[in-house]
Amino acid sequence: MKDFIITKYDTLKYPFGALLLCFCLLVFRIKTTHDFFGLFLIWNLFLAFVPLGIAWYLQHKRLHINSVLKYALLVLWLLFLPNAPYVITDVIHLSYSPSNWFIYDGITIGVFAVLSLYFGFQSLIEVRKLFKTEIAEGWLNALTVGVLILCGFGIYLGRVVRFNSWDLITNPLDLFGTISSYLINPIENKSVWLFTIAFGIFLNFSFFLFKMWQQNGLLTKSHTS
């Protein structure tokens, strides 16, 4: 654990600070108003962290993991990945926020959303590292674009249709039936694909900006050390 923290220090220091801020904002809100508005954000933040946890595990065990387990975990990672950007859509809960707490609640949800998005993007960075020596950069970028568009579709299923990651096990018939109907009748369900593409474009733009920012940070650090 000590070695893990040391090797991941640069990755952990900022999200840990943001995590403290998240909980301070939430605790202050609950303590002051005696209203438990926002508690759902804790669960959503945990779900957003799951893909990063899986990616870190794969990185840690990359030399000692068999292919079957590796790809099984990658499928699990892909299923949970939409939970990270999903938190952005929690802004809809502001409709339940009292007017005198509206701005505060907006800031709180915003901080949770940014941290969740960081978890998702960092997990994607870690997964890309697993295949860096096997897949050319151009193909990795193309796969990344596809994965983030799938995330847009996953967010639609979660926010609009109200499916979740567990439904793959607990309610697979309804889940696959719904997905099949969208695929068979794309024109009738154009709002699904407009949402998917729009969110996919936003996520791709944000991710590659994040990747560029992270690379520039690492380059600056190497030049100054």
Side-chain angles (χ1 to χ4, degrees):
M1 180 60 72
K2 181 181 177 182
D3 290 339
F4 175 80
I5 293 173
I6 291 171
T7 56
K8 295 294 182 184
Y9 175 74
D10 287 334
T11 303
L12 290 169
K13 59 182 178 181
Y14 297 117
F16 183 73
L19 188 63
L20 284 177
L21 178 59
C22 284
F23 285 108
C24 286
L25 287 168
L26 209 53
V27 168
F28 178 79
R29 169 74 155 85
I30 293 170
K31 186 76 174 174
T32 305
T33 63
H34 305 289
D35 179 1
F36 293 98
F37 175 88
L39 274 183
F40 62 89
L41 290 167
I42 296 175
W43 175 246
N44 286 352
L45 187 63
F46 167 74
L47 291 177
F49 177 77
V50 170
L52 182 55
I54 293 171
W56 276 343
Y57 178 81
L58 285 167
Q59 274 285 346
H60 182 64
K61 298 288 187 180
R62 65 186 182 279
L63 300 176
H64 311 285
I65 191 170
N66 65 67
S67 296
V68 174
L69 181 57
K70 175 183 175 180
Y71 285 102
L73 287 173
L74 283 171
V75 169
L76 194 63
W77 168 81
L78 185 60
L79 289 173
F80 275 91
L81 186 60
N83 288 305
Y86 175 87
V87 182
I88 296 170
T89 67
D90 281 333
V91 293
I92 68 165
H93 293 289
L94 287 175
S95 60
Y96 303 106
S97 176
S99 57
N100 56 326
W101 282 94
F102 185 85
I103 295 175
Y104 185 93
D105 290 340
I107 292 170
T108 301
I109 291 173
V111 174
F112 271 89
V114 169
L115 181 56
S116 297
L117 201 57
Y118 176 90
F119 287 158
F121 286 170
Q122 189 59 44
S123 79
L124 189 47
I125 292 285
E126 299 293 336
V127 168
R128 283 170 60 99
K129 287 178 185 176
L130 290 172
F131 297 97
K132 194 173 182 180
T133 59
E134 302 173 24
I135 303 175
E137 180 78 9
W139 284 109
L140 270 179
N141 290 339
L143 287 169
T144 298
V145 169
V147 163
L148 291 173
I149 289 173
L150 282 175
C151 280
F153 184 60
I155 293 166
Y156 182 89
L157 291 175
R159 175 54 68 196
V160 180
V161 193
R162 304 306 295 161
F163 284 117
N164 59 58
S165 302
W166 314 110
D167 282 313
L168 190 66
I169 297 170
T170 60
N171 194 19
L173 293 179
D174 280 351
L175 176 60
F176 286 115
T178 300
I179 293 172
S180 296
S181 70
Y182 293 155
L183 292 171
I184 293 168
N185 304 298
I187 305 300
E188 292 178 16
N189 297 289
K190 60 186 176 188
S191 61
V192 178
W193 304 115
L194 287 173
F195 181 100
T196 297
I197 292 167
F199 226 109
I201 290 170
F202 165 73
L203 290 177
N204 273 286
F205 176 79
S206 302
F207 172 75
F208 285 104
L209 202 63
F210 171 82
K211 180 173 172 285
M212 187 169 58
W213 166 77
Q214 196 175 72
Q215 285 175 338
N216 287 340
L218 289 172
L219 284 172
T220 304
K221 185 176 177 181
S222 65
H223 286 317
T224 54
S225 60

